[in-house]
Short mmCIF file of all heavy atoms in Angstrom, two decimals:
data_model
loop_
_atom_site.label_atom_id
_atom_site.label_comp_id
_atom_site.label_asym_id
_atom_site.label_seq_id
_atom_site.Cartn_x
_atom_site.Cartn_y
_atom_site.Cartn_z
N ILE A 169 -56.15 -105.19 258.43
CA ILE A 169 -56.16 -106.46 257.58
C ILE A 169 -54.74 -107.07 257.62
O ILE A 169 -54.60 -108.36 257.77
CB ILE A 169 -56.51 -106.11 256.16
CG1 ILE A 169 -57.98 -105.70 256.08
CG2 ILE A 169 -56.26 -107.23 255.19
CD1 ILE A 169 -58.41 -105.11 254.79
N ARG A 170 -53.74 -106.18 257.46
CA ARG A 170 -52.37 -106.75 257.49
C ARG A 170 -52.04 -107.48 258.87
O ARG A 170 -51.54 -108.60 258.90
CB ARG A 170 -51.35 -105.66 257.27
CG ARG A 170 -49.91 -106.10 256.98
CD ARG A 170 -49.07 -105.06 256.50
NE ARG A 170 -49.54 -104.34 255.25
CZ ARG A 170 -49.28 -104.89 254.11
NH1 ARG A 170 -48.51 -105.99 254.02
NH2 ARG A 170 -49.67 -104.34 252.93
N LYS A 171 -52.43 -106.82 259.93
CA LYS A 171 -52.18 -107.32 261.22
C LYS A 171 -52.93 -108.62 261.53
O LYS A 171 -52.44 -109.54 262.22
CB LYS A 171 -52.56 -106.28 262.32
CG LYS A 171 -52.43 -106.78 263.73
CD LYS A 171 -52.92 -105.69 264.72
CE LYS A 171 -52.99 -106.21 266.08
NZ LYS A 171 -53.65 -105.22 267.03
N THR A 172 -54.14 -108.60 260.87
CA THR A 172 -55.01 -109.80 261.15
C THR A 172 -54.48 -111.13 260.52
O THR A 172 -54.54 -112.24 260.96
CB THR A 172 -56.38 -109.53 260.70
OG1 THR A 172 -56.88 -108.40 261.43
CG2 THR A 172 -57.37 -110.82 260.94
N PHE A 173 -53.92 -110.94 259.25
CA PHE A 173 -53.55 -112.14 258.42
C PHE A 173 -52.04 -112.41 258.40
O PHE A 173 -51.61 -113.48 258.03
CB PHE A 173 -54.04 -111.86 256.96
CG PHE A 173 -55.59 -111.97 256.91
CD1 PHE A 173 -56.24 -110.76 256.74
CD2 PHE A 173 -56.31 -113.05 256.89
CE1 PHE A 173 -57.70 -110.74 256.63
CE2 PHE A 173 -57.58 -113.17 256.72
CZ PHE A 173 -58.29 -112.00 256.59
N GLU A 174 -51.17 -111.39 258.71
CA GLU A 174 -49.78 -111.60 258.35
C GLU A 174 -49.06 -112.77 259.08
O GLU A 174 -48.10 -113.35 258.55
CB GLU A 174 -48.97 -110.33 258.55
CG GLU A 174 -48.98 -109.76 259.83
CD GLU A 174 -48.25 -108.49 260.00
OE1 GLU A 174 -47.77 -107.99 259.00
OE2 GLU A 174 -48.16 -107.87 261.12
N LYS A 175 -49.54 -113.04 260.29
CA LYS A 175 -48.80 -114.14 261.06
C LYS A 175 -49.21 -115.49 260.56
O LYS A 175 -48.33 -116.41 260.37
CB LYS A 175 -49.18 -113.91 262.66
CG LYS A 175 -48.33 -112.73 263.22
CD LYS A 175 -48.50 -112.73 264.75
CE LYS A 175 -47.75 -111.51 265.28
NZ LYS A 175 -47.94 -111.47 266.68
N LYS A 176 -50.64 -115.69 260.54
CA LYS A 176 -51.10 -117.13 260.27
C LYS A 176 -51.23 -117.38 258.72
O LYS A 176 -51.02 -118.35 258.27
CB LYS A 176 -52.31 -117.27 261.03
CG LYS A 176 -52.81 -118.79 261.10
CD LYS A 176 -53.91 -118.87 262.05
CE LYS A 176 -54.33 -120.34 262.22
NZ LYS A 176 -55.43 -120.53 263.15
N TYR A 177 -51.78 -116.35 258.05
CA TYR A 177 -52.02 -116.38 256.69
C TYR A 177 -51.30 -115.25 255.83
O TYR A 177 -52.03 -114.49 255.16
CB TYR A 177 -53.49 -116.42 256.29
CG TYR A 177 -54.24 -117.35 257.26
CD1 TYR A 177 -55.13 -117.02 258.28
CD2 TYR A 177 -54.31 -118.81 256.90
CE1 TYR A 177 -55.74 -117.86 259.04
CE2 TYR A 177 -55.02 -119.69 257.67
CZ TYR A 177 -55.72 -119.30 258.63
OH TYR A 177 -56.46 -120.14 259.42
N PRO A 178 -50.06 -115.23 255.79
CA PRO A 178 -49.39 -114.17 255.13
C PRO A 178 -49.72 -113.96 253.65
O PRO A 178 -49.74 -112.93 253.01
CB PRO A 178 -47.93 -114.39 255.37
CG PRO A 178 -47.84 -115.88 255.74
CD PRO A 178 -49.13 -116.23 256.36
N HIS A 179 -49.97 -115.16 253.02
CA HIS A 179 -50.28 -115.19 251.60
C HIS A 179 -51.57 -114.54 251.29
O HIS A 179 -52.02 -114.19 250.08
CB HIS A 179 -50.25 -116.59 250.92
CG HIS A 179 -51.30 -117.55 251.66
ND1 HIS A 179 -51.16 -117.98 252.90
CD2 HIS A 179 -52.45 -117.95 251.21
CE1 HIS A 179 -52.23 -118.78 253.20
NE2 HIS A 179 -52.97 -118.78 252.18
N LEU A 180 -52.47 -114.26 252.35
CA LEU A 180 -53.79 -113.65 252.11
C LEU A 180 -53.82 -112.19 252.35
O LEU A 180 -54.83 -111.51 252.18
CB LEU A 180 -54.77 -114.37 253.08
CG LEU A 180 -55.10 -115.95 252.71
CD1 LEU A 180 -56.11 -116.36 253.77
CD2 LEU A 180 -55.68 -115.95 251.26
N VAL A 181 -52.64 -111.61 252.82
CA VAL A 181 -52.64 -110.23 253.15
C VAL A 181 -52.94 -109.34 251.93
O VAL A 181 -53.92 -108.59 251.90
CB VAL A 181 -51.30 -109.79 253.72
CG1 VAL A 181 -51.22 -108.24 253.87
CG2 VAL A 181 -51.10 -110.39 255.10
N GLU A 182 -52.17 -109.46 250.89
CA GLU A 182 -52.41 -108.65 249.66
C GLU A 182 -53.72 -108.91 248.95
O GLU A 182 -54.35 -107.89 248.55
CB GLU A 182 -51.19 -108.80 248.69
CG GLU A 182 -49.83 -108.28 249.21
CD GLU A 182 -49.95 -106.83 249.78
OE1 GLU A 182 -50.64 -106.04 249.03
OE2 GLU A 182 -49.32 -106.45 250.73
N PRO A 183 -54.15 -110.16 248.77
CA PRO A 183 -55.40 -110.37 248.14
C PRO A 183 -56.54 -109.59 248.95
O PRO A 183 -57.51 -109.17 248.39
CB PRO A 183 -55.51 -111.90 248.21
CG PRO A 183 -54.15 -112.46 248.17
CD PRO A 183 -53.47 -111.52 249.02
N ASN A 184 -56.50 -109.75 250.28
CA ASN A 184 -57.59 -109.18 251.06
C ASN A 184 -57.50 -107.66 251.10
O ASN A 184 -58.57 -106.91 251.06
CB ASN A 184 -57.49 -109.64 252.64
CG ASN A 184 -58.24 -110.94 252.72
OD1 ASN A 184 -59.41 -110.94 252.84
ND2 ASN A 184 -57.52 -112.02 252.83
N ILE A 185 -56.29 -107.05 251.02
CA ILE A 185 -56.20 -105.57 250.81
C ILE A 185 -56.80 -105.21 249.48
O ILE A 185 -57.52 -104.20 249.29
CB ILE A 185 -54.77 -105.15 250.97
CG1 ILE A 185 -54.35 -105.25 252.48
CG2 ILE A 185 -54.57 -103.63 250.52
CD1 ILE A 185 -52.89 -104.97 252.73
N LYS A 186 -56.50 -105.88 248.35
CA LYS A 186 -57.02 -105.70 247.10
C LYS A 186 -58.50 -105.81 247.07
O LYS A 186 -59.21 -104.99 246.49
CB LYS A 186 -56.35 -106.61 246.08
CG LYS A 186 -56.74 -106.30 244.54
CD LYS A 186 -56.01 -107.19 243.65
CE LYS A 186 -56.32 -106.74 242.19
NZ LYS A 186 -55.70 -107.68 241.24
N THR A 187 -59.05 -106.85 247.74
CA THR A 187 -60.51 -106.94 247.87
C THR A 187 -61.20 -105.82 248.50
O THR A 187 -62.19 -105.29 248.25
CB THR A 187 -60.79 -108.34 248.67
OG1 THR A 187 -60.26 -109.40 247.98
CG2 THR A 187 -62.39 -108.56 248.74
N PHE A 188 -60.51 -105.41 249.69
CA PHE A 188 -61.06 -104.20 250.36
C PHE A 188 -61.06 -102.97 249.45
O PHE A 188 -62.02 -102.24 249.41
CB PHE A 188 -60.17 -103.93 251.64
CG PHE A 188 -60.39 -102.62 252.37
CD1 PHE A 188 -61.41 -102.49 253.20
CD2 PHE A 188 -59.64 -101.44 252.04
CE1 PHE A 188 -61.74 -101.32 253.92
CE2 PHE A 188 -59.91 -100.31 252.72
CZ PHE A 188 -60.99 -100.28 253.65
N ASN A 189 -60.01 -102.74 248.73
CA ASN A 189 -59.86 -101.54 247.85
C ASN A 189 -60.96 -101.64 246.75
O ASN A 189 -61.53 -100.60 246.45
CB ASN A 189 -58.53 -101.52 247.15
CG ASN A 189 -57.39 -101.18 248.20
OD1 ASN A 189 -57.63 -100.66 249.27
ND2 ASN A 189 -56.11 -101.50 247.84
N ARG A 190 -61.12 -102.81 246.16
CA ARG A 190 -62.21 -102.91 245.18
C ARG A 190 -63.62 -102.68 245.73
O ARG A 190 -64.45 -102.06 245.08
CB ARG A 190 -62.14 -104.38 244.49
CG ARG A 190 -60.90 -104.55 243.65
CD ARG A 190 -61.09 -105.88 242.84
NE ARG A 190 -62.22 -105.85 241.96
CZ ARG A 190 -62.58 -106.92 241.32
NH1 ARG A 190 -61.86 -108.00 241.23
NH2 ARG A 190 -63.73 -106.86 240.58
N GLY A 191 -63.87 -103.24 246.95
CA GLY A 191 -65.12 -102.95 247.60
C GLY A 191 -65.34 -101.50 247.82
O GLY A 191 -66.49 -100.98 247.65
N TYR A 192 -64.30 -100.76 248.23
CA TYR A 192 -64.42 -99.33 248.47
C TYR A 192 -64.59 -98.54 247.13
O TYR A 192 -65.44 -97.66 247.12
CB TYR A 192 -63.03 -98.90 248.95
CG TYR A 192 -62.92 -97.43 249.45
CD1 TYR A 192 -63.27 -97.08 250.79
CD2 TYR A 192 -62.56 -96.45 248.58
CE1 TYR A 192 -63.31 -95.73 251.14
CE2 TYR A 192 -62.38 -95.07 249.01
CZ TYR A 192 -62.88 -94.73 250.20
OH TYR A 192 -62.75 -93.36 250.65
N GLU A 193 -64.03 -99.05 245.98
CA GLU A 193 -64.11 -98.26 244.70
C GLU A 193 -65.34 -98.67 243.92
O GLU A 193 -65.97 -97.81 243.21
CB GLU A 193 -62.83 -98.58 243.96
CG GLU A 193 -61.61 -98.09 244.50
CD GLU A 193 -60.37 -98.58 243.89
OE1 GLU A 193 -60.57 -99.47 243.07
OE2 GLU A 193 -59.29 -98.29 244.28
N GLU A 194 -65.82 -99.88 244.12
CA GLU A 194 -66.91 -100.38 243.22
C GLU A 194 -68.28 -100.32 243.80
O GLU A 194 -69.39 -100.61 243.06
CB GLU A 194 -66.63 -101.81 242.74
CG GLU A 194 -65.34 -102.01 242.01
CD GLU A 194 -64.99 -103.45 241.66
OE1 GLU A 194 -65.88 -104.30 241.64
OE2 GLU A 194 -63.77 -103.75 241.36
N VAL A 195 -68.53 -99.91 245.07
CA VAL A 195 -69.85 -99.75 245.58
C VAL A 195 -70.46 -98.63 245.02
O VAL A 195 -69.86 -97.52 244.58
CB VAL A 195 -69.74 -99.42 247.10
CG1 VAL A 195 -69.04 -98.36 247.46
CG2 VAL A 195 -71.19 -99.49 247.74
N THR A 196 -71.80 -98.66 244.71
CA THR A 196 -72.63 -97.65 244.02
C THR A 196 -73.72 -97.33 245.00
O THR A 196 -74.24 -98.11 245.80
CB THR A 196 -73.13 -98.12 242.61
OG1 THR A 196 -73.85 -99.34 242.79
CG2 THR A 196 -71.97 -98.34 241.70
N PHE A 197 -74.19 -95.99 244.79
CA PHE A 197 -75.25 -95.50 245.64
C PHE A 197 -76.39 -94.95 244.80
O PHE A 197 -76.26 -94.46 243.73
CB PHE A 197 -74.77 -94.38 246.51
CG PHE A 197 -73.56 -94.71 247.38
CD1 PHE A 197 -72.25 -94.75 246.94
CD2 PHE A 197 -73.75 -95.15 248.72
CE1 PHE A 197 -71.18 -95.08 247.68
CE2 PHE A 197 -72.74 -95.51 249.53
CZ PHE A 197 -71.38 -95.44 249.07
N LYS A 198 -77.60 -95.04 245.44
CA LYS A 198 -78.72 -94.25 244.92
C LYS A 198 -79.67 -93.87 246.05
O LYS A 198 -79.92 -94.63 247.02
CB LYS A 198 -79.49 -95.25 243.93
CG LYS A 198 -80.60 -94.47 243.15
CD LYS A 198 -81.16 -95.32 242.05
CE LYS A 198 -82.22 -94.54 241.25
NZ LYS A 198 -82.68 -95.33 240.14
N VAL A 199 -80.08 -92.57 245.89
CA VAL A 199 -81.00 -92.04 246.91
C VAL A 199 -82.37 -91.99 246.34
O VAL A 199 -82.62 -91.50 245.31
CB VAL A 199 -80.47 -90.58 247.30
CG1 VAL A 199 -81.48 -89.96 248.27
CG2 VAL A 199 -79.16 -90.55 247.90
N PHE A 200 -83.29 -92.54 247.14
CA PHE A 200 -84.70 -92.56 246.74
C PHE A 200 -85.47 -91.55 247.63
O PHE A 200 -85.29 -91.47 248.79
CB PHE A 200 -85.24 -93.91 247.06
CG PHE A 200 -84.70 -95.07 246.06
CD1 PHE A 200 -83.67 -95.88 246.49
CD2 PHE A 200 -85.22 -95.17 244.80
CE1 PHE A 200 -83.16 -96.79 245.59
CE2 PHE A 200 -84.63 -96.08 243.91
CZ PHE A 200 -83.63 -96.93 244.36
N LYS A 201 -86.26 -90.82 246.85
CA LYS A 201 -87.03 -89.75 247.62
C LYS A 201 -88.58 -89.99 247.32
O LYS A 201 -88.94 -90.37 246.30
CB LYS A 201 -86.75 -88.32 247.14
CG LYS A 201 -85.32 -87.97 247.50
CD LYS A 201 -84.97 -86.52 247.07
CE LYS A 201 -83.56 -86.12 247.50
NZ LYS A 201 -83.22 -84.69 247.07
N GLU A 202 -89.40 -89.76 248.33
CA GLU A 202 -90.79 -89.95 248.17
C GLU A 202 -91.39 -88.68 248.85
O GLU A 202 -91.02 -88.26 249.96
CB GLU A 202 -91.20 -91.25 248.93
CG GLU A 202 -92.67 -91.46 248.64
CD GLU A 202 -93.04 -92.89 249.20
OE1 GLU A 202 -92.95 -93.89 248.52
OE2 GLU A 202 -93.43 -93.01 250.43
N GLU A 203 -92.42 -88.19 248.24
CA GLU A 203 -93.10 -86.97 248.78
C GLU A 203 -93.85 -87.32 250.07
O GLU A 203 -94.33 -88.49 250.30
CB GLU A 203 -94.20 -86.47 247.83
CG GLU A 203 -93.54 -85.87 246.51
CD GLU A 203 -94.60 -85.39 245.54
OE1 GLU A 203 -95.80 -85.44 245.91
OE2 GLU A 203 -94.25 -84.99 244.48
N ASP A 204 -93.70 -86.39 250.91
CA ASP A 204 -94.37 -86.46 252.31
C ASP A 204 -93.81 -87.65 253.06
O ASP A 204 -94.54 -88.23 253.90
CB ASP A 204 -95.88 -86.63 252.12
CG ASP A 204 -96.46 -85.57 251.45
OD1 ASP A 204 -95.97 -84.28 251.70
OD2 ASP A 204 -97.52 -85.73 250.66
N SER A 205 -92.57 -87.94 252.90
CA SER A 205 -92.02 -89.07 253.67
C SER A 205 -90.95 -88.76 254.68
O SER A 205 -90.22 -89.46 255.18
CB SER A 205 -91.27 -90.07 252.59
OG SER A 205 -90.25 -89.47 251.99
N ASP A 206 -90.88 -87.35 254.88
CA ASP A 206 -89.88 -86.85 255.92
C ASP A 206 -90.03 -87.57 257.30
O ASP A 206 -89.11 -87.79 257.97
CB ASP A 206 -90.06 -85.39 256.05
CG ASP A 206 -89.62 -84.55 254.87
OD1 ASP A 206 -88.95 -85.27 253.99
OD2 ASP A 206 -90.05 -83.40 254.67
N ASN A 207 -91.28 -87.76 257.81
CA ASN A 207 -91.49 -88.41 259.01
C ASN A 207 -91.79 -89.85 258.93
O ASN A 207 -92.22 -90.42 259.92
CB ASN A 207 -92.63 -87.69 259.70
CG ASN A 207 -92.29 -86.20 259.94
OD1 ASN A 207 -91.12 -85.79 260.36
ND2 ASN A 207 -93.24 -85.34 259.70
N GLU A 208 -91.61 -90.39 257.82
CA GLU A 208 -91.91 -91.88 257.66
C GLU A 208 -90.53 -92.65 257.77
O GLU A 208 -89.52 -92.15 257.39
CB GLU A 208 -92.50 -92.10 256.23
CG GLU A 208 -93.84 -91.52 256.09
CD GLU A 208 -94.91 -92.30 256.93
OE1 GLU A 208 -94.79 -93.47 257.11
OE2 GLU A 208 -95.83 -91.57 257.36
N PRO A 209 -90.62 -93.88 258.21
CA PRO A 209 -89.44 -94.79 258.24
C PRO A 209 -89.05 -95.04 256.84
O PRO A 209 -89.94 -95.07 255.90
CB PRO A 209 -89.93 -96.01 259.09
CG PRO A 209 -91.42 -95.93 258.83
CD PRO A 209 -91.88 -94.57 258.81
N LEU A 210 -87.84 -95.30 256.62
CA LEU A 210 -87.24 -95.69 255.33
C LEU A 210 -87.78 -97.01 254.87
O LEU A 210 -87.90 -97.30 253.70
CB LEU A 210 -85.70 -95.73 255.36
CG LEU A 210 -84.96 -94.43 255.59
CD1 LEU A 210 -83.47 -94.73 255.48
CD2 LEU A 210 -85.43 -93.27 254.83
N PHE A 211 -88.13 -97.84 255.78
CA PHE A 211 -88.53 -99.22 255.47
C PHE A 211 -89.80 -99.60 256.22
O PHE A 211 -90.09 -99.03 257.34
CB PHE A 211 -87.39 -100.29 255.80
CG PHE A 211 -86.17 -99.91 255.03
CD1 PHE A 211 -85.21 -99.09 255.50
CD2 PHE A 211 -85.90 -100.52 253.83
CE1 PHE A 211 -84.11 -98.82 254.87
CE2 PHE A 211 -84.73 -100.26 253.12
CZ PHE A 211 -83.84 -99.42 253.63
N ASN A 212 -90.50 -100.51 255.64
CA ASN A 212 -91.68 -101.03 256.32
C ASN A 212 -91.16 -101.72 257.58
O ASN A 212 -90.50 -102.73 257.55
CB ASN A 212 -92.45 -101.99 255.38
CG ASN A 212 -93.00 -101.26 254.17
OD1 ASN A 212 -93.26 -100.07 254.23
ND2 ASN A 212 -92.89 -101.92 253.01
N GLN A 213 -91.73 -101.29 258.67
CA GLN A 213 -91.36 -101.91 259.98
C GLN A 213 -92.34 -103.05 260.28
O GLN A 213 -93.38 -102.87 261.00
CB GLN A 213 -91.36 -100.94 261.06
CG GLN A 213 -90.48 -99.64 260.82
CD GLN A 213 -89.04 -100.08 260.63
OE1 GLN A 213 -88.40 -100.66 261.53
NE2 GLN A 213 -88.49 -99.89 259.43
N SER A 214 -92.08 -104.22 259.79
CA SER A 214 -93.00 -105.42 259.99
C SER A 214 -92.92 -105.89 261.39
O SER A 214 -91.76 -105.82 262.14
CB SER A 214 -92.60 -106.45 259.01
OG SER A 214 -91.28 -106.91 259.28
N GLN A 215 -94.00 -106.39 261.91
CA GLN A 215 -93.98 -106.97 263.28
C GLN A 215 -94.10 -108.44 263.19
O GLN A 215 -94.53 -109.10 262.14
CB GLN A 215 -95.19 -106.50 263.96
CG GLN A 215 -95.29 -104.96 264.25
CD GLN A 215 -94.11 -104.62 265.18
OE1 GLN A 215 -93.82 -105.21 266.16
NE2 GLN A 215 -93.41 -103.41 264.77
#
Side-chain angles (χ1 to χ4, degrees):
I169 291 174
R170 190 172 299 279
K171 177 184 173 184
T172 301
F173 292 102
E174 64 183 356
K175 288 186 178 180
K176 197 170 183 180
Y177 306 106
H179 62 289
L180 294 178
V181 171
E182 293 306 322
N184 273 283
I185 290 178
K186 188 175 180 181
T187 301
F188 172 82
N189 291 339
R190 288 189 59 184
Y192 186 90
E193 295 164 359
E194 295 177 22
V195 62
T196 55
F197 301 85
K198 188 168 184 178
V199 178
F200 293 95
K201 294 183 179 180
E202 185 175 271
E203 293 182 4
D204 302 324
S205 63
D206 291 342
N207 297 320
E208 293 290 327
L210 298 184
F211 300 88
N212 297 323
Q213 303 299 302
S214 61
Q215 297 297 319

